[in-house]
Amino acid sequence: MITTQQAMVSVAHSVRLQVRDIAGDVLHRFGLTRPARSARGRLTIVALHRVLPNYLRAEYPLPGLVVSPDELDFITGVMAQHYTLDTLAAVAGRLRAGEVPDKPLAAITFDDGQRDNLEYAAPVLRAHGVRGTFFAVSDATEHNTPLWHDRLGFALAHLPGGLRQLDIVALGLPADTDRTVQGIVEATKLLRPSERDALIARVVELSGGAHRPNWDGIMSWQDLKQLQSDGHEIGSHTRSHPILPLATDGELIDELAGSREALEQKLGTPILSFCYPNGDHDARVMAAVERAGYRFATTTQPGLNARHAAPLQLRRFDMQGRFARRGNGRLAAQALHLRLSNALRGT
Ligand SMILES: [Zn+2]
């Protein structure tokens, strides 16, 4: 049964979508969200994670991290039409050199090095003749280990009693933690790595052992080389995907310089770009990124990058399929342009 409160939330949501659609149409008609105008002289970076067809997306516990191949095809097609797309290192270098092409500079980036990127994203990029940047987690690449948020997510999705039965406080999380997979993963991000690993081990145990669907995997060194041979850039996303401001100085060196060395040694090319896990960084982390030799680093702060934007604090637009759709569910360029123009924050 739908409660009054749920009905009001649903009405508010649909009104918000309609307002977004109207704003997207009007701003587009007056040219305000057209990239040639809204992003002129600036760099637009899009952040994606997994690319999974809908039947696999339904099995994945963190749907906010997924776009479908069709959605990626639409996003890439619209962007290829309106932007000068290339690898992050290439376009960030051109931005700093002061280039202002008629079609503004942009990059499509993929975090985490999931194998679905090779299987489902690479063919889409190839079809559009677009080069992208893939951020790999070097220890995960070496051992094909799932990232911690996936280990936790898969285990939470398999708890015999469901999430309601979970004793959140006994796990070391605040009592008011949102009891969804996403909510528990978000709360776990605030724990020190040792506390986090203990929590995950406990949830895995409660769920009856590690769960990993057979379609899941991390790209191997060979897979990354194949992406490189297609012209794509490989960047670093640390060794183990920790929340960096929580790491000690020694751990920072290990995660930043260590992953760069491993990637350069295995791939035989300089690694120029870095991506902060979860976007989390501070002055100490940035100094360590610079010392490790990276030239560019990306955050999860939305927005466009001006020529003199700090190269180790590049802004990116998190991209999900719903941001490229109208309220009625149809993929629409106006919706995507609105998202990438940053005209309506938080929509
Ligand atoms: Zn990540």
Side-chain angles (χ1 to χ4, degrees):
M1 200 171 76
I2 297 174
T3 64
T4 314
Q5 195 191 1
Q6 283 169 333
M8 282 171 65
V9 168
S10 151
V11 168
H13 181 65
S14 106
V15 167
R16 201 158 55 83
L17 288 180
Q18 281 177 38
V19 168
R20 193 189 69 172
D21 283 353
I22 293 167
D25 290 347
V26 170
L27 293 171
H28 190 258
R29 187 160 312 150
F30 289 101
L32 297 175
T33 57
R34 290 199 186 144
R37 179 159 166 182
S38 63
R40 188 172 167 77
R42 293 186 286 175
L43 168 61
T44 302
I45 310 171
V46 164
L48 296 145
H49 293 82
R50 286 177 176 269
V51 181
L52 293 171
N54 287 329
Y55 73 97
L56 294 181
R57 167 152 59 181
E59 287 183 28
Y60 182 63
L62 296 164
L65 295 178
V66 185
V67 298
S68 70
D70 286 351
E71 289 167 344
L72 180 64
D73 180 62
F74 179 81
I75 292 163
T76 308
V78 172
M79 290 191 72
Q81 192 185 343
H82 292 275
Y83 294 89
T84 301
L85 282 172
D86 208 335
T87 63
L88 177 71
V91 289
R94 289 171 69 176
L95 176 79
R96 287 178 71 71
E99 267 193 58
V100 184
D102 289 341
K103 289 183 177 185
L105 299 166
I108 299 179
T109 66
F110 297 84
D111 296 6
D112 298 345
Q114 303 288 355
R115 199 168 58 207
D116 57 59
N117 290 181
L118 182 70
E119 200 165 348
Y120 299 107
V124 172
L125 297 184
R126 192 179 306 123
H128 289 279
V130 166
R131 305 197 298 174
T133 294
F134 295 81
F135 291 110
V137 179
S138 60
D139 282 2
T141 302
E142 177 75 29
H143 305 293
N144 186 23
T145 38
L147 302 187
W148 71 258
H149 58 259
D150 279 339
R151 265 187 295 137
L152 178 56
F154 287 133
L156 287 168
H158 284 86
L159 282 175
L163 297 177
R164 292 269 150 225
Q165 307 290 326
L166 204 57
D167 187 343
I168 291 281
V169 177
L171 286 174
L173 297 177
D176 62 353
T177 300
D178 181 21
R179 279 170 184 272
T180 59
V181 173
Q182 183 70 46
I184 293 167
V185 169
E186 288 302 321
T188 304
K189 283 177 182 173
L190 304 176
L191 302 181
R192 295 256 328 134
S194 58
E195 297 166 335
R196 178 199 71 201
D197 290 343
L199 179 149
I200 295 169
R202 179 71 186 128
V203 176
V204 166
E205 188 186 320
L206 289 171
S207 73
H211 295 274
R212 192 184 201 188
N214 57 14
W215 51 262
D216 185 61
I218 300 284
M219 284 190 282
S220 66
W221 297 116
Q222 197 52 43
D223 294 338
L224 297 180
K225 280 185 184 167
Q226 193 177 325
L227 289 177
Q228 282 185 316
S229 68
D230 282 352
H232 301 300
E233 175 189 18
I234 306 301
S236 166
H237 197 28
T238 71
R239 286 183 62 174
S240 71
H241 208 269
I243 302 299
L244 292 171
L246 299 176
T248 64
D249 289 347
E251 287 165 349
L252 274 185
I253 293 171
D254 196 38
E255 292 284 348
L256 303 172
S259 63
R260 185 162 186 255
E261 272 168 33
L263 287 163
E264 292 194 338
Q265 195 199 339
K266 295 284 187 179
L267 301 174
T269 52
I271 299 298
L272 305 175
S273 301
F274 179 78
C275 173
Y276 301 103
N278 203 42
D280 290 318
H281 64 286
D282 56 22
R284 183 182 66 109
V285 171
M286 284 170 62
V289 167
E290 186 165 24
R291 273 197 301 276
Y294 298 101
R295 286 181 57 197
F296 307 107
T298 58
T299 69
T300 49
Q301 187 72 29
L304 297 161
N305 299 285
R307 181 180 175 190
H308 297 293
L312 298 183
Q313 243 174 338
L314 295 174
R315 291 167 177 255
R316 294 190 300 172
F317 291 103
D318 168 46
M319 185 50 66
Q320 299 179 26
R322 64 193 172 96
F323 298 141
R325 293 182 187 276
R326 295 178 70 86
N328 64 12
R330 279 221 332 273
L331 289 164
Q334 283 98 319
L336 184 61
H337 289 322
L338 183 68
R339 173 74 178 171
L340 297 182
S341 71
N342 212 21
L344 288 186
R345 274 167 178 260
T347 59

